[in-house]
Amino acid sequence: MATTSQDTFDFIIVGSGIAGLRAAIALAPVGRVLILTKADATESNTGYAQGGIAAALSPGDTPALHAADTLRAGDGLCDAAAVDVLVTEGPGYVKELIGWGARFDRDAHG
């Protein structure tokens, strides 16, 4: 949609990656949302992500294992409370994204 200087929005989201689009979906029912993106909407960090998403989804995998890995990889720069929220709530959001049709690379175990 093209916008003009006369358009007004309740929310402006900078970035069209998965986080920005997820925020837009949540905000759309309560106001007008504008998503600002780079020259091409497919050019986002989501498409270039190398590390994947740390979510315990398979048997034998746990949020605690992901938390330990994230804290180790963060080399002292991670906020432990934020990591706990990420690994505890992350699996539910990954399942939500899969339900919406997001495609993730999977190993032989799913």
Side-chain angles (χ1 to χ4, degrees), residues 29-81:
V30 295
R32 293 191 67 210
V33 178
L34 173 67
I35 300 172
L36 300 177
T37 190
K38 296 175 184 172
D40 185 80
T42 61
E43 290 292 315
S44 71
N45 287 333
T46 299
Y48 295 113
Q50 297 297 312
I53 296 175
L57 297 174
S58 62
D61 201 2
T62 68
L65 291 172
H66 282 275
D69 184 54
T70 301
L71 291 169
R72 188 173 39 258
D75 197 27
L77 299 175
C78 296
D79 179 300

Side-chain angles (χ1 to χ4, degrees), residues 11 13-30 33 35 46 53 89-90 92-100 102 104:
F11 307 99
I13 297 172
V14 179
S16 62
I18 205 163
L21 295 176
R22 174 62 181 87
I25 289 169
L27 294 169
V30 295
V33 178
I35 300 172
T46 299
I53 296 175
E89 297 183 14
Y93 287 106
V94 170
K95 290 175 184 174
E96 177 182 69
L97 292 169
I98 291 169
W100 289 348
F104 293 94

